[in-house]
Amino acid sequence: MLILGLETSCDETAASIIDGRGGKIKILSNIVSSQIEIHKQYHGVVPELAAREHVVNILPVIDSALKQAGFSCRNFINKKPPFKALAVTAGPGLITSLLISGETARALACIWQIPLLAVNHIEGHIAANFIDSDFKKIKLPAIILTVSGGHTNLIIMKKIGKYKIIGETLDDAAGEAFDKAAKMMNIGYPGGPIISQLAKKANPKIIIPPLPRPMLKTSNFNFSFSGLKTALLYSLQKDSDWPKKIPEYCKEFQSAIIDVLIFKTLKAAKKYKAQSILLAGGVSANQELRKKLEEEINLKLSQTKYLIPDLNYCTDNAAMIAAAGYLKFLDKKFTTWKKLKINCNLEL
Ligand code: KG4
Ligand code: ZN
């Protein structure tokens, strides 16, 4: 069954066509148009500029996704398209960005007379784990660590597609902390991939003051990263030589974030007797996090399965939205072009 997915919740314009059969999701096309070049001068996403770019890019991106999957828009003139449904991000995200894929999806669903699948962006990130694998075989309950630019959540999944948040960040998201730290050191945007690359160059002989591991001792599953960011600022202010030690500061900052994420994830997995641990969201592209979490699971919870998304589907894309849409399709959770609601604060 073919599903077209659209995503414009932040600064990537994305379209994808997937084929869902039984418990398997195959990607036929996955097109992402990134706006990093536009936003990097501001060290963050400027909503007005993002929305304008989405308007320009959305139709060419859909056209490319159709072509990559072997179709052409011309095929659908006066004919029903081969898609059983159209999946689109309904929120959360930047409202002016969300509206572009939302209204495009509404128009296409109206013209093509196909149902819509309203997908939560976080659900999409989680569903990135279901691509190219048999999701019906995932051992449950599962604990999911969702780490992106806008969210840091610990989630329990007792049934595929049923999510309950058990912990969240009280302030900055993990990705946001990476981005703000990179801005502080003036090393570029987005901060996560840049900090992780620089951290690899750290010299173990250069010692810098350790940064805190926030909320490690609290009994709940919440996170807080804004104090860590301030601690980095104070360390830099006290060290006039810091520009010569950027890789070392990057490594320590990255380690502080990873230590807390892993500690709380394992604690939640133990408490809820998780059979699987899943990683999701843009920060799941972080090699050190992927590797260290695997090592800790092997060491402390060796019976627990560990799933991570393919690197192609970690940061924002529409394949993950179409994949989450497929699960909704199986559950018959459709909406229509008239009823689709876009909500920038949509909850999981
Ligand atoms: O999921 P995503 O593409 O967008 C949101 O939904 O927010 O996540 C983007 C975030 C950014 O903050 C970016 O710095 C971070 O993911 N990120 C990374 C890496 N790649 C992207 N953080 C750490 N290491 C990475 N390799
Ligand atoms: Zn995202």
Side-chain angles (χ1 to χ4, degrees):
M1 167 207 312
L2 302 190
I3 293 180
L4 171 65
L6 301 181
E7 146 74 36
T8 62
S9 68
C10 191
D11 61 337
E12 337 272 1
T13 320
S16 166
I17 295 163
I18 65 150
D19 187 3
R21 274 165 214 234
K24 292 238 166 101
I25 296 165
K26 248 182 74 185
I27 307 301
L28 304 189
S29 66
N30 183 31
I31 304 289
V32 180
S33 168
S34 165
Q35 301 179 9
I36 286 175
E37 286 308 311
I38 294 167
H39 301 288
K40 71 179 184 192
Q41 56 184 306
Y42 306 102
H43 300 278
V45 178
V46 182
E48 170 74 18
L49 296 182
R52 285 169 187 241
E53 275 301 299
H54 288 314
V55 172
V56 174
N57 292 335
I58 187 84
L59 292 178
V61 163
I62 294 172
D63 195 42
S64 301
L66 290 173
K67 283 192 186 128
Q68 199 179 64
F71 301 112
S72 155
C73 249
R74 283 165 171 272
N75 300 148
F76 311 148
I77 297 173
N78 299 326
K79 255 195 280 170
K80 234 178 147 63
F83 315 118
K84 280 269 186 288
L86 204 164
V88 65
T89 310
L94 301 170
I95 188 64
T96 41
S97 287
L98 283 164
L99 284 172
I100 313 305
S101 54
E103 293 310 306
T104 307
R106 200 192 299 279
L108 291 176
C110 173
I111 296 163
W112 289 343
Q113 288 294 298
I114 56 172
L116 281 173
L117 301 159
V119 173
N120 183 301
H121 184 77
I122 307 294
E123 260 183 305
H125 275 302
I126 297 169
N129 280 285
F130 307 155
I131 294 170
D132 287 334
S133 71
D134 194 341
F135 62 79
K136 289 190 172 156
K137 290 194 179 147
I138 294 177
K139 294 215 161 59
L140 301 170
I143 287 290
I144 309 165
L145 172 66
T146 309
V147 267
S148 70
H151 298 269
T152 299
N153 292 319
L154 271 169
I155 293 166
I156 181 154
M157 175 172 73
K158 290 187 179 166
K159 264 180 78 184
I160 292 289
K162 295 263 177 302
Y163 309 110
K164 185 172 171 231
I165 295 178
I166 56 164
E168 61 197 344
T169 180
L170 303 178
D171 39 59
D172 291 352
E176 188 181 0
F178 275 116
D179 296 339
K180 287 179 175 169
K183 183 177 181 184
M184 238 177 248
M185 294 184 276
N186 203 18
I187 51 178
Y189 173 85
I194 297 169
I195 288 182
S196 77
Q197 284 309 314
L198 285 167
K200 287 183 192 159
K201 297 181 185 152
N203 179 349
K205 287 186 190 141
I206 299 178
I207 308 295
I208 58 153
L211 290 169
R213 271 55 178 165
M215 308 276 284
L216 215 51
K217 301 244 159 68
T218 55
S219 57
N220 55 37
F221 297 111
N222 291 335
F223 302 95
S224 164
F225 295 112
S226 79
L228 174 64
K229 181 189 65 189
T230 313
L232 173 67
L233 177 69
Y234 290 159
S235 287
L236 298 178
Q237 282 172 347
K238 280 187 208 142
D239 182 358
S240 56
D241 255 359
W242 72 263
K244 292 187 197 133
K245 303 176 198 163
I246 286 177
E248 291 73 32
Y249 278 102
C250 286
K251 184 157 194 272
E252 177 60 11
F253 189 78
Q254 175 175 265
S255 298
I257 291 186
I258 291 178
D259 286 353
V260 183
L261 292 176
I262 293 181
F263 181 83
K264 294 242 162 165
T265 305
L266 263 69
K267 192 172 149 179
K270 277 184 206 154
K271 176 168 176 188
Y272 291 95
K273 300 190 172 44
Q275 303 294 303
S276 313
I277 293 176
L278 279 64
L279 197 54
V283 181
S284 71
N286 187 283
Q287 295 291 354
E288 197 62 16
L289 173 62
R290 291 163 84 97
K291 191 181 86 189
K292 276 207 166 159
L293 184 53
E294 181 170 24
E295 284 168 5
E296 286 292 301
I297 292 170
N298 287 342
L299 201 67
K300 296 176 182 152
L301 293 170
S302 58
Q303 301 304 309
T304 311
K305 293 254 177 263
Y306 176 50
L307 273 85
I308 45 175
D310 186 285
L311 283 175
N312 288 320
Y313 311 121
C314 289
T315 47
D316 289 352
N317 64 87
M320 68 184 199
I321 301 300
Y326 174 58
L327 298 190
K328 283 194 185 292
F329 191 97
L330 296 180
D331 275 350
K332 301 191 172 47
K333 286 189 187 151
F334 306 108
T335 187
T336 64
W337 66 270
K338 277 188 187 162
K339 289 192 183 146
L340 175 72
K341 278 202 181 76
I342 302 298
N343 177 358
C344 59
N345 297 315
L346 188 66
E347 290 189 359
L348 194 65

